[in-house]
């Protein structure tokens, strides 16, 4: 059948199972938006306040649901406004397809109005990208984009569509979605070797990252831990894969991980790394990381093997299938001496002080978990509040903690919260934790949350400074606080009311408890402005380039 490029665009989206996209209209994509209007019963479009918010929303949708997030923007500044969101998804291996409009093919390369070479701009931050120059290529290019986004190591793909391509016509033939490709490059010998190393270990430790969450399932990891009594630690991207309070869950690893996890890595005789790339926030000093251990690395991306730390055995593929292959060859085991040593180390872990009169971050997070319950989904921006969330949230869901890990994008949280709420539905409880610095970046998306009646609760850890940078200035720069006190007078509660949301202002634990309880009864978005001390620190901390010997506990 003969269809225009815009009709093909909608048909392929539907063919790929897309029912929601996020975006912002403009001249180069008017044909696409006209067709979306005609098909609003098939595909829901969420209009954000800014294209960056739309990109983060598509990202949050993908992280919360496991489905591919889709974002649409116009040419020029619309396209370039997606860049930070695309890079955020790329660093954290999030499946997303970004569609951008562009000037007509006859105007490309002529510095036309609102023209940008977005394919070249995004080449380093996408798995693949395309400029579609013929309407006959549009359908198959879109199909390839969705397949690539979900295959192997997941990530974003960009498709740039000139305006004349959306207006031209060609014959269109529907096709079912192509199967996602599974990467498997390990052999039976490697599987047996891994099991042999696990069976021989006296002090084994599993270190897992976001690749476990992206894999086909988390259960084989849990089965391995239980069968061989192996304690586990995780990176920021994997918080929630193991439930809070599980005996074998030691907690967060790395720069702001606890003393026990970092000490266990230092003393282990075998480290099984699953779906983690050993970033500089985990292996802060690569030459001493796991210095006493043999190291098995399991990852879907062959380029990550031994990239940051030396390894003894590599198994390339989906972590779920590799662990399923290893499990039958692992002997049931107990490690009482190793577990006893770990319990002794846990007595030395940092414990923050409580207060009945002033707001303390760890107590606020305890209260949030108590009131919101185990099914809540938590989204963060980037900074001190992000680390406090990773340390103290009572994680119970593998997709219940959404944060920007690799790129560390301030302003990520509100857009991602919107995407998560849309993806999970109105009955889901989405709570966004942010700092006043991060929130100022993209709080304009408050109007989006109001427009769609999204019951997102935003808790603002407001210390009126750029807290994480200030903490570094305190510890390493002689308390020279260069530009980390912005002297802002923003009244977030009143700003919330101006958007049409409900706002609260809290300075004591009692006020926060009451505000949160009330917010949980509201049908729309709420902002809770919580005043915390500007000298609150994220502890413990291992300075960049250090190891367990350099840990700061107070």
């Amino acid at each position: 059948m003969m269809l225009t490029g815009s009709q093909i665009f909608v048909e392929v989206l539907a063919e790929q199972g897309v029912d929601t996209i996020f975006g912002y209209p403009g001249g180069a994509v008017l044909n696409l938006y006209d067709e979306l209007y005609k098909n609003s019963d098939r595909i829901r479009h969420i209009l954000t306040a800014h294209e960056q918010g739309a990109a983060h929303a598509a990202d949050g949708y993908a992280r919360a649901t496991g489905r591919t997030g889709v974002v649409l923007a116009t040419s020029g500044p619309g396209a370039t406004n997606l860049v930070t969101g695309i890079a955020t998804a790329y660093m954290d291996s999030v499946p997303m397809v970004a569609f951008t409009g562009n000037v007509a093919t006859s105007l490309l390369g002529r510095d036309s109005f609102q023209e940008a070479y977005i394919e070249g701009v995004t080449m380093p931050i996408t798995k693949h990208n395309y400029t579609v120059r013929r309407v006959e290529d549009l359908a198959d290019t879109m199909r390839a984009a969705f397949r690539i986004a979900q295959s192997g190591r997941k990530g974003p793909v960009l498709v740039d569509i000139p305006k004349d391509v959306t207006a031209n016509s060609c014959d269109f033939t529907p096709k079912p979605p192509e199967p996602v490709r599974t990467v498997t490059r390990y052999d039976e010998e490697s599987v047996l070797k891994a099991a042999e190393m696990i069976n021989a270990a006296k002090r084994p430790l599993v270190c897992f990252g976001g690749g476990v969450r992206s894999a086909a399932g988390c259960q084989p990891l849990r089965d391995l831990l239980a069968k061989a009594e192996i304690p586990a630690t995780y990176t920021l991207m994997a918080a929630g894969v193991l439930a809070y309070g599980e005996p074998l869950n030691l907690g967060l690893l790395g720069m702001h991980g606890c003393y026990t996890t970092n000490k266990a890595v230092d003393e282990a005789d075998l480290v099984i790394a699953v779906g983690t790339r050993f970033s500089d926030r985990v292996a802060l000093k690569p030459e001493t990381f796991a210095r006493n251990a043999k190291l098995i690395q399991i990852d879907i991306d062959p380029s990550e093997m031994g990239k940051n730390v030396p390894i003894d055995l590599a198994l390339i593929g989906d972590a779920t299938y590799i662990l399923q292959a290893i499990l039958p060859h692992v002997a049931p085991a107990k490690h009482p001496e190793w577990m006893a040593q770990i319990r002794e180390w846990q007595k030395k872990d940092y414990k923050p002080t409580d207060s009945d009169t002033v707001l303390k971050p760890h107590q606020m997070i305890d209260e949030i978990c108590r009131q919101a319950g185990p099914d809540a989904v938590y989204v963060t921006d980037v900074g001190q509040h992000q680390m406090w969330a990773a340390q103290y949230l009572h994680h119970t869901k593998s997709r219940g903690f959404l944060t920007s890990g690799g790129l560390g994008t301030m302003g990520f949280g509100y857009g991602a919260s919107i995407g998560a709420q849309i993806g999970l539905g109105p009955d889901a409880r989405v709570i966004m934790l942010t700092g006043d610095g991060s929130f100022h970046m993209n709080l304009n998306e408050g109007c989006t949350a109001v427009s769609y009646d999204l019951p997102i609760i935003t808790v603002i850890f407001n210390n009126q400074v750029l807290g994480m940078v200030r903490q570094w200035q305190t510890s390493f720069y002689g308390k020279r606080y260069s530009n980390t006190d912005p002297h802002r007078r923003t009244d977030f509660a009143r700003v919330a009311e101006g958007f049409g949301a409900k706002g609260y202002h809290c300075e004591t634990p009692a006020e926060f408890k009451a505000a949160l309880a009330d917010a949980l009864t509201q049908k729309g978005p709420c902002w809770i402005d919580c005043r915390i001390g500007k000298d609150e620190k994220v502890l413990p901390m291992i300075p960049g380039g250090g190891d367990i010997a350099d840990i700061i506990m107070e």
Side-chain angles (χ1 to χ4, degrees):
M1 55 184 168
M2 293 294 293
L3 297 180
T4 66
S6 296
Q7 291 172 320
I8 291 170
F9 177 80
V10 170
E11 291 303 319
V12 176
L13 289 181
E15 178 185 285
Q16 297 295 318
V18 175
D19 57 16
T20 304
I21 69 171
F22 304 86
Y24 203 97
V29 289
L30 281 177
N31 293 334
L32 299 179
Y33 270 88
D34 190 53
E35 202 60 39
L36 286 169
Y37 179 87
K38 299 172 186 175
N39 288 272
S40 57
D41 59 329
R42 300 169 70 193
I43 298 173
R44 184 186 189 191
H45 180 278
I46 304 298
L47 175 66
T48 57
H50 189 280
E51 290 92 352
Q52 183 177 338
H56 291 324
D59 181 321
Y61 176 96
R63 294 185 200 231
T65 66
R67 301 172 66 189
T68 302
V70 181
V71 61
L72 171 63
T74 193
S75 63
T80 59
N81 281 344
L82 297 179
V83 168
T84 298
I86 293 171
T88 301
Y90 181 75
M91 290 289 281
D92 290 345
S93 305
V94 176
M96 183 167 80
V97 177
F99 293 102
T100 53
N102 214 328
V103 300
T105 53
S106 62
L107 298 175
L108 290 172
R110 297 174 179 267
D111 293 333
S112 303
F113 177 67
Q114 288 195 334
E115 179 191 1
Y117 179 37
I118 196 64
E119 182 183 355
V121 171
T122 59
M123 192 172 294
I125 55 169
T126 53
K127 285 189 71 178
H128 200 71
N129 59 14
Y130 303 88
T131 298
V132 181
R133 295 177 182 267
R134 301 188 323 133
V135 68
E136 290 84 359
D137 299 328
L138 179 59
D140 284 344
T141 300
M142 290 178 64
R143 290 164 180 149
F146 279 94
R147 184 188 71 246
I148 292 169
Q150 283 280 3
S151 297
R153 181 174 179 173
K154 302 179 187 350
V157 180
L158 180 131
V159 180
D160 191 40
I161 312 174
K163 189 169 183 177
D164 57 321
V165 173
T166 67
N168 295 339
S169 299
C170 71
D171 188 56
F172 172 76
T173 302
K175 293 182 181 179
E178 295 183 40
V180 173
R181 296 173 182 172
T182 301
V183 176
T184 50
R185 297 191 190 176
Y186 62 93
D187 52 32
E188 183 68 13
E189 182 181 350
S190 297
V191 167
L192 294 174
K193 178 63 175 175
E196 178 185 320
M197 294 169 71
I198 293 169
N199 292 336
K202 303 298 184 185
R203 301 184 304 280
L205 181 73
V206 166
C207 171
F208 63 92
V212 173
R213 181 181 289 162
S214 298
C218 302
Q219 192 56 45
L221 173 68
R222 302 186 186 109
D223 293 341
L224 173 64
L225 302 183
K227 186 174 185 179
E229 194 183 42
I230 304 176
T233 179
Y234 54 83
T235 70
L236 179 68
M237 297 310 302
V241 170
L242 293 184
Y244 174 84
E246 286 190 22
L248 294 171
N249 181 1
L250 304 187
L252 185 69
L253 176 66
M255 178 174 282
H256 292 295
C258 62
Y259 174 82
T260 297
T261 57
N262 286 292
K263 186 67 173 174
V265 168
D266 198 54
E267 295 289 341
D269 64 0
L270 176 68
V271 172
I272 308 151
V274 187
T276 179
R277 60 178 177 260
F278 299 116
S279 77
D280 59 311
R281 284 300 191 263
V282 171
L284 295 98
K285 190 174 183 179
E287 59 268 29
T288 63
F289 183 81
R291 70 185 93 190
N292 298 304
K294 297 287 186 181
L295 208 153
I296 301 170
Q297 188 172 8
I298 299 170
D299 202 280
I300 203 165
D301 186 350
S303 69
E304 294 296 347
M305 293 300 172
K307 183 178 79 175
N308 293 324
V309 297
I311 62 172
D312 297 282
L313 180 64
L315 292 94
I316 301 168
D318 186 297
T320 298
Y321 303 130
I322 292 177
L323 292 175
Q324 284 177 338
I326 292 172
L327 266 167
H329 306 288
V330 173
K334 296 290 183 182
H335 300 96
E337 293 181 3
W338 179 226
M339 295 306 300
Q341 177 63 79
I342 286 171
R343 301 307 174 215
E344 286 299 312
W345 289 331
Q346 287 177 327
K347 296 176 183 177
K348 299 179 182 180
D349 281 340
Y350 173 77
K351 295 177 178 60
T353 57
D354 294 346
S355 174
D356 294 328
T357 57
V358 299
L359 288 170
K360 292 287 188 177
H362 69 284
Q363 289 178 280
M364 292 168 59
I365 292 170
D366 282 346
E367 185 64 30
I368 291 168
C369 293
R370 188 185 68 79
Q371 291 199 34
D375 293 326
V377 171
Y378 299 98
V379 186
T380 82
D381 268 315
V382 170
Q384 287 182 310
H385 69 276
Q386 177 192 31
M387 295 297 105
W388 287 321
Q391 290 173 331
Y392 300 121
L393 278 172
H394 300 177
H395 304 289
T396 59
K397 300 174 67 175
S398 64
R399 293 190 178 274
F401 182 66
L402 316 184
T403 195
S404 170
L407 198 63
T409 306
M410 294 175 71
F412 165 81
Y414 213 173
S417 298
I418 288 167
Q421 189 76 71
I422 293 291
L424 297 173
D427 295 332
R429 173 56 65 200
V430 176
I431 297 180
M432 205 268 276
L433 286 72
T434 186
D436 53 303
S438 277
F439 198 43
H440 271 112
M441 295 262 182
N442 278 326
L443 59 77
N444 55 329
E445 294 302 339
C447 65
T448 307
V450 169
S451 295
Y452 293 95
D453 294 319
L454 304 178
I456 300 165
I457 296 175
T458 300
V459 179
I460 307 163
F461 291 71
N462 187 356
N463 54 12
Q464 300 185 290
V465 294
L466 304 182
M468 186 61 89
V469 183
R470 190 178 191 276
Q471 178 173 334
W472 279 63
Q473 288 172 333
T474 301
S475 298
F476 309 118
Y477 291 88
K479 299 185 179 180
R480 295 184 295 277
Y481 299 122
S482 177
N483 288 284
T484 46
D485 186 349
H487 302 288
R488 293 173 181 149
R489 300 181 182 179
T490 307
D491 185 330
F492 288 110
R494 293 178 66 186
V495 173
E497 299 289 347
F499 274 123
K502 187 169 179 60
Y504 307 83
H505 180 93
C506 305
E507 297 192 10
T508 68
E511 289 174 346
F512 177 67
K513 181 178 181 179
L516 180 60
D518 188 70
L520 286 165
T521 69
Q522 302 300 317
K523 302 300 182 183
C526 299
W527 298 5
I528 308 177
D529 182 1
C530 305
R531 295 302 174 95
I532 65 172
K534 64 183 179 182
D535 291 316
E536 290 286 348
K537 302 291 190 297
V538 180
L539 294 173
M541 177 181 181
I542 299 177
D547 57 26
I548 186 65
D550 305 301
I551 193 167
I552 299 169
M553 299 286 283
E554 60 182 32

